[in-house]
Amino acid sequence: MLGGSALVAAPSATPPSPRSAVPAPSPLIVGDGRTVRLISLGGDRTDGLLTRIGGDIGAAVAAVEKFWGTDWDREIVVIATGSQQDFLTQAGLDPRGQWQDIAAVSVAEQVDFAHHRASGQRMVFAPGAVAMSDQALRIVLTHELFHLAARADTALDAPRWLVEGVADFVARPPTPLPPGAAADTALPADADLDAAGPQRVHGYDRAWWFARFVADTYGVDGLRRLYTEACGPGHGDFATAVHRALNTDTTELRARWAQWLTG
Ligand SMILES: [Zn+2]
């Protein structure tokens, strides 16, 4: 499945502030005192979706904090849209793009890396999200929340496959690998996420497996270090990041990855 997408709104797009939308009656308080603002733009249908999200957001915050720590936005804005047009507008997405199979995105108006701050962050759910199962919704919510939490530590040119793989590591239960998972032992790549259809789903899965492999082999701290070194502002190339974060080289990493895939 596609757990949504991590996108920073194009600078030319100036979507309306979420505060101009219809506000939810009162914000939720979750975790260590974070405020959650739930904004419903699609009437009863999206009210119901936000009720489900309201029930899940505490666990999503806990999962993200467990992996990433607590130094991120104190306010979480979640917008549920009732039409594709609203979705594109609220998310600041290019209407010419392929967004039909995207359940949710998290976006920011601006990221100030020097001050470790992102402004105008929000999670926007597409109208189709109302049809998601409870488990799929929890995964998408947690996945997008990780993007939001890591925003100020994620360079605009970060390797997307690793950004997505780590978000899925935080969000998805570690289900067994399907048969044939070891057929391809190349390192995941951004190109795998670009093709529409099954190839993209497989690309997300392989990125997720890779993150699990790193956590299993080098520890969860190793995975977090790899994210910071490979995806953070001013990151080096992947080989340098691997060396710094995991104290190994890509040849050794690939050999172990192949081994892990084989089980
Ligand atoms: Zn994502």
Side-chain angles (χ1 to χ4, degrees):
M1 57 154 284
L2 291 177
S5 192
L7 297 155
V8 172
S12 58
T14 46
S17 157
R19 279 161 200 82
S20 68
V22 184
S26 61
L28 276 174
I29 309 291
V30 295
D32 51 341
R34 279 174 221 272
T35 303
V36 184
R37 226 167 270 288
L38 302 170
I39 299 169
S40 179
L41 298 183
D44 290 349
R45 276 167 70 83
T46 50
D47 286 354
L49 177 68
L50 288 175
T51 300
R52 294 164 69 200
I53 289 172
D56 289 338
I57 188 83
V61 167
V64 169
E65 288 184 344
K66 184 176 168 213
F67 176 72
W68 193 245
T70 57
D71 183 18
W72 49 280
D73 303 37
R74 307 299 301 172
E75 185 186 70
I76 301 162
V77 176
V78 182
I79 303 173
T81 61
S83 70
Q84 193 67 12
Q85 182 55 52
D86 264 359
F87 174 58
L88 298 177
T89 305
Q90 292 294 330
L93 299 174
D94 182 345
R96 290 162 301 182
Q98 297 291 312
W99 308 114
Q100 288 82 357
D101 53 357
I102 301 293
V105 296
S106 65
V107 293
E109 293 295 331
Q110 215 172 7
V111 186
D112 178 352
F113 292 110
H115 296 97
H116 196 252
R117 218 168 26 224
S119 58
Q121 288 225 78
R122 58 204 184 275
M123 198 184 303
V124 186
F125 280 82
V130 297
M132 276 193 291
S133 72
D134 288 345
Q135 196 201 21
L137 179 61
R138 273 195 293 273
I139 290 171
V140 168
L141 180 66
T142 310
H143 176 113
E144 295 304 328
L145 191 65
F146 171 73
H147 287 323
L148 190 148
R151 179 76 68 210
D153 300 287
T154 308
L156 301 184
D157 65 347
R160 285 177 296 130
W161 68 267
L162 188 57
V163 172
E164 295 305 326
V166 172
D168 271 349
F169 171 81
V170 174
R172 299 175 75 165
T175 48
L177 268 53
D184 180 2
T185 60
L187 293 176
D190 278 358
D192 303 335
L193 307 184
D194 290 335
Q199 196 188 327
R200 175 152 68 171
V201 176
H202 189 57
Y204 269 78
D205 280 347
R206 293 186 72 248
W208 170 45
W209 300 338
F210 181 84
R212 288 169 59 183
F213 147 70
V214 172
D216 281 355
T217 310
Y218 303 94
V220 174
D221 284 348
L223 180 61
R224 196 170 39 242
R225 283 197 305 273
L226 183 62
Y227 189 97
T228 304
E229 293 289 348
C231 305
H235 64 84
D237 62 18
F238 187 66
T240 306
V242 165
H243 181 69
R244 285 188 183 153
L246 308 178
N247 196 27
T248 188
D249 58 38
T250 45
T251 309
E252 170 75 15
L253 184 77
R254 257 203 75 171
R256 287 195 173 203
W257 162 232
Q259 209 169 38
W260 185 90
L261 282 170
T262 319

